[in-house]
Amino acid sequence: MRDVETDPAASFAKTWQAVAEAGLSGIGIAEQCGGGGGDLLDQMVALEAAAHALTPGPLLGTVLVGQIVRAAHVSAPDSCNEVLSAIAGGARAACALRGSVALAGGGARGDLDVVLDVVDARWMLAPADDGSWVLIAAQGWEAQPEVGFDLTRRGGRVRVAAGPDDVLHLAGVDADAVRRVFVALVAAEAAGVAQWCLTTAVDYAKVREQFGAPIGSFQAIKQLCSHMLETAESVSAVAWDVGAALRSEVPAEEANYAADVAATIALDGAVAVAQDCIQVLGGIGFTFEHEAHLYLRRAVALRIAASALTGGTEQSAARLARRAGAGQRRASAIDFEGADSRFRATTRPEIDAIAQLPADEQRSALARAGYLTPHWPRPYGLDAGPVEQLVVDEELARAGLSRPDLAIGAWAVPTIIDHGTAEQAERFALPTLIGDVAWCQLFSEPGAGSDLASLSTRAVRADGGWKLTGQKVWTSRAREADWGICLARTDREAARHRGITYFLVDMTSDGIDTRPLREITGDAMFNEVFLDDVFVPDDCVVGEIDGGWKLARTTLANERVAMAGTKLGLSTERAVGLLDGRGSQADEARVGHQVALATACQLLGVRSTLRSIAGRGPGAESSVAKLLGVRNRQEASELVVDMLGPVALYSGDDPQVSNDLHEMLLTRCLSIAGGTTQILRNVVAERVLGLPRG
């Protein structure tokens, strides 16, 4: 690129020769045409990798033409095969982004003022004035190339004067079809750009020192890099999904939905990550010599190019909101390739039999059969792996059965099973599953919230057990709970992460004073719990004395695996419903952004599930999904109240408006409970990205 920076006719010949020899532009072309025999998603993987390396040249335009011609293959097989074979062999192709040609007498004429990848192109994909798309051979047009904003590509203006022999009419190809494929390809490139920018920023933050320490140890840089990870993973997820939708040949409307999600998130996302990369790099990132600005240029150029076919991010978001309002959703499904058949054959009749029981007997039957918590070890679960867990979910849904929410019990009991005694597991596991025992969590203290290791509740040895004294706070459902899991300090001289023990506390014990805390919603789900010499017998100590910190941080290795449904979440669905054809385009765009964010969260969950099925450990997407899920619920609930307008000031007797206001206030706790968003981002920065501790 640097060698031909100012040459408008630069063809990037050496690079393109390497691209052709590697077969990168033909991966998604059939083998009989000389291609790699892959599909669009395979081609997108190559495009993502090429963008990560900022490979210069006309790969995007050429791949687009190959995929569109492949889709139109049935209309003119001989001509299409000729084009596909040439592209697989290294021929280049271009795409018109603005303007159209007039068709007359089988030929085409017109001026196209923005054409991507025009230098040395053998064909050009262009829209016609009748709404169709045509492929025009190079002898039918004259190009005026220019150096554009993206210095790694060449485009320009084209004047078309093509005869009938120079024009291939692509039957069945319309603007929606081209837009879907183009969005998929630019989203793949955006993913590559975003990942390079993230990696570059993180690597630099690990070694660049200021004030005597690596800048990656500074909280501000950790927060920025963690946010970059959230965005980069979202870009990858939505790009992957639109490719998967087109690969599986879902109905056009569902594919359009996936494309609008990608257009709403991926293009702005890549630009944001590229900007943040330069911010982390500081002055060196602002120099022309560093490559960071070339990636920013590519990201911005991709967004501009995509807007020619999508109308831009806001129009994509508005379209998405209208699609959601019409009932469209992105449904995810997994092909188990037969790995589920044997387990399903035994599971289905058992679950069907449970479904026939009286409603008040179903929970107990599910618990005793292991279907309530299939990921738990036997006899309380099924020791189920990811595939088996998903099969149970599907069969329960098919039979119309739903699991009760175990709340804190879903965390407490696995810890007891994993680290406690067999007697403790027998005492607490099944009663929790069938609903006889409810739990609360006595962890947080006034001086130990996110910094839980600072807890000061003390446990002192007593005859046959321990006496606990201290104050716990923000304890959900403490007044309704039968038992509490409690951390207390058993060695006050030990380091702060040591000397902590994990106790099971009978909430009816003497010395417990539970006081409700009224929250901003007006409810009192939280409580303060005061412990004054509360006796806990030795058989209610879980694990080793002074070893409780490890228990507080771990759960069973076989974590719960689940597939996201098609619902977008309470507030996002409510916002979609409030539009009801009456919203302005600005309102539609705001709702569409939340629909896209909610869908991205679902997709991150799907990707995490697929990793589990493949036997791989949890990836970045699981951490990112939690952070983005909180953001989505908070932003969507606030949007709902904003859309209500003045009626929200005095809701009167309208229960729906009251619920909307309650939800908006309630979601404020989500970025605090279980560790604040800022602390979680620090954890992600250190454990996922590997940035140094401060």
Side-chain angles (χ1 to χ4, degrees):
M1 184 282 301
R2 296 186 186 280
D3 290 341
V4 295
E5 178 190 333
T6 59
D7 180 6
S11 63
F12 303 105
K14 289 183 179 180
T15 301
W16 187 252
Q17 181 180 355
V19 166
E21 289 175 353
L24 294 185
S25 59
I27 286 175
I29 292 175
E31 291 181 353
Q32 58 263 37
C33 293
D39 56 24
L40 176 64
L41 195 56
D42 298 318
Q43 186 69 72
M44 289 169 64
V45 172
L47 212 59
E48 177 189 17
H52 190 281
L54 207 67
T55 304
L59 189 56
L60 177 59
T62 302
V63 167
L64 173 66
V65 170
Q67 291 299 309
I68 295 301
V69 171
R70 177 179 176 172
H73 184 268
V74 293
S75 62
D78 292 338
S79 298
C80 288
N81 278 343
E82 179 185 348
V83 174
L84 293 173
S85 295
I87 288 177
R92 306 169 183 230
C95 176
L97 297 179
R98 194 165 72 172
S100 62
V101 295
L103 302 179
R109 290 185 174 272
D111 292 328
L112 304 168
D113 56 358
V114 181
V115 179
L116 178 72
D117 292 337
V118 73
V119 173
D120 286 353
R122 192 182 298 185
W123 294 280
M124 176 179 62
L125 180 68
D129 54 4
D130 64 355
S132 66
W133 285 73
V134 294
L135 196 66
I136 306 173
Q139 57 267 28
W141 43 272
E142 182 179 349
Q144 181 182 345
E146 299 179 11
V147 176
F149 183 70
D150 179 359
L151 301 177
T152 67
R153 286 201 168 117
R154 294 294 184 267
R157 297 178 176 87
V158 169
R159 172 157 291 179
V160 179
D165 293 338
D166 301 326
V167 179
L168 175 60
H169 297 267
L170 302 174
V173 174
D174 58 14
D176 275 351
V178 175
R179 181 171 64 239
R180 287 193 297 266
V181 175
F182 191 63
V183 166
L185 299 179
V186 297
E189 284 212 359
V193 168
Q195 288 295 334
W196 182 92
C197 291
L198 172 64
T199 301
T200 298
V202 169
D203 288 347
Y204 185 78
K206 291 176 181 177
V207 299
R208 173 61 170 167
E209 292 194 359
Q210 290 283 278
F211 307 106
I215 63 172
S217 65
F218 303 154
Q219 180 163 311
I221 300 298
K222 283 189 173 74
Q223 297 286 306
L224 186 56
C225 289
S226 182
H227 190 266
M228 291 173 69
L229 175 67
E230 294 170 35
T231 306
E233 287 293 321
S234 299
V235 172
S236 293
V238 298
W240 162 76
D241 185 59
V242 66
L246 294 174
R247 163 192 265 181
S248 58
E249 298 181 354
V250 299
E253 286 307 305
E254 188 172 344
N256 286 335
Y257 183 99
D260 282 334
V261 171
T264 301
I265 286 180
L267 303 169
D268 283 349
V271 172
V273 176
Q275 292 170 337
D276 287 343
C277 176
I278 293 174
Q279 184 70 24
V280 174
L281 294 171
I284 192 174
F286 192 70
T287 61
F288 196 91
E289 287 73 16
H290 199 284
E291 297 172 352
H293 75 99
L294 301 176
Y295 283 85
L296 175 61
R297 288 170 182 267
R298 172 67 69 90
V300 172
L302 288 171
R303 183 169 65 181
I304 294 171
S307 69
L309 297 181
T310 66
T313 300
E314 298 307 296
Q315 286 194 34
S316 296
R319 263 196 316 272
L320 183 59
R322 292 193 292 271
R323 296 188 196 283
Q328 296 174 27
R329 297 293 185 274
R330 183 71 177 105
S332 299
I334 291 179
D335 181 2
F336 295 106
E337 299 180 345
D340 60 324
S341 56
R342 179 177 297 180
F343 181 73
R344 193 183 298 274
T346 59
T347 298
R348 175 169 292 182
E350 292 179 2
I351 288 179
D352 284 344
I354 293 173
Q356 300 303 313
L357 295 174
D360 60 353
E361 298 179 16
Q362 291 174 353
R363 174 170 179 167
S364 178
L366 287 171
R368 296 176 190 280
Y371 293 131
L372 269 192
T373 50
H375 58 301
W376 288 8
R378 296 181 187 276
Y380 312 109
L382 299 174
D383 279 319
V387 171
E388 289 78 12
Q389 292 178 49
L390 294 173
V391 168
V392 170
D393 284 355
E394 291 177 355
E395 293 304 317
L396 289 175
R398 186 192 56 79
L401 295 171
S402 59
R403 294 186 179 93
D405 182 9
L406 299 180
I408 299 299
W411 192 95
V413 175
T415 305
I416 294 170
I417 294 172
D418 198 34
H419 297 283
T421 65
E423 292 76 17
Q424 288 172 334
E426 185 177 356
R427 179 179 179 184
F428 292 107
L430 185 59
T432 300
L433 290 174
I434 65 178
D436 289 345
V437 172
W439 293 85
C440 66
Q441 180 173 286
L442 301 165
F443 281 14
S444 295
E445 299 182 2
S450 295
D451 183 16
L452 184 58
S454 296
L455 66 87
S456 60
T457 295
R458 67 181 186 275
V460 178
R461 258 298 180 191
D463 186 20
W466 299 80
K467 288 191 174 182
L468 277 57
T469 300
Q471 179 185 357
K472 300 293 182 177
V473 73
W474 319 125
T475 306
S476 301
R477 300 187 177 97
R479 284 166 290 155
E480 298 80 27
D482 303 294
W483 286 83
I485 50 176
C486 180
L487 294 180
R489 193 166 295 283
T490 43
D491 185 348
R492 303 181 69 180
E493 304 300 322
R496 62 196 218 108
H497 289 93
R498 301 172 185 264
I500 294 173
T501 300
Y502 194 105
F503 295 95
L504 306 179
V505 177
D506 184 342
M507 294 301 291
T508 64
S509 301
D510 292 338
I512 295 180
D513 181 12
T514 302
R515 305 175 189 176
L517 284 173
R518 198 174 185 207
E519 300 113 43
I520 63 175
T521 60
D523 299 333
M525 182 180 67
F526 288 155
N527 301 268
E528 290 180 293
V529 178
F530 294 88
L531 307 168
D532 184 10
D533 277 348
V534 175
F535 180 73
V536 177
D538 283 328
D539 62 5
C540 287
V541 174
V542 181
E544 298 179 358
I545 301 298
D546 298 335
W549 182 252
K550 179 178 70 173
L551 275 66
R553 294 183 54 188
T554 62
T555 56
L556 289 177
N558 55 338
E559 294 181 353
R560 180 82 174 92
V561 174
M563 283 291 289
T566 57
K567 291 290 186 181
L568 298 170
L570 178 67
S571 293
T572 302
E573 293 285 5
R574 171 71 168 143
V576 169
L578 284 173
L579 281 175
D580 194 24
R582 302 190 302 268
S584 64
Q585 186 168 6
D587 283 340
E588 287 178 337
R590 295 169 70 197
V591 173
H593 278 288
Q594 292 307 311
V595 171
L597 182 57
T599 304
C601 292
Q602 292 175 339
L603 296 174
L604 288 163
V606 172
R607 286 163 70 85
S608 182
T609 297
L610 292 174
R611 286 179 64 96
S612 296
I613 290 175
R616 300 162 64 190
E621 61 276 330
S622 57
S623 299
V624 168
K626 294 175 185 177
L627 290 165
L628 290 182
V630 167
R631 177 181 144 200
N632 177 223
R633 282 193 61 185
Q634 290 182 336
E635 290 181 357
S637 63
E638 185 176 351
L639 174 59
V640 166
V641 172
D642 195 39
M643 292 176 69
L644 290 172
V647 71
L649 291 174
Y650 303 102
S651 60
D653 297 328
D654 190 331
Q656 181 60 68
V657 174
S658 296
N659 289 340
D660 293 336
L661 292 166
H662 184 277
E663 179 69 8
M664 186 268 288
L665 292 172
L666 178 64
T667 57
R668 283 296 96 202
C669 79
L670 299 178
S671 52
I672 302 170
T676 66
T677 292
Q678 290 70 30
I679 295 298
L680 290 178
R681 281 185 174 148
N682 281 353
V683 172
V684 167
E686 292 171 3
R687 297 183 186 171
V688 177
L689 297 177
L691 290 176
R693 291 180 177 272

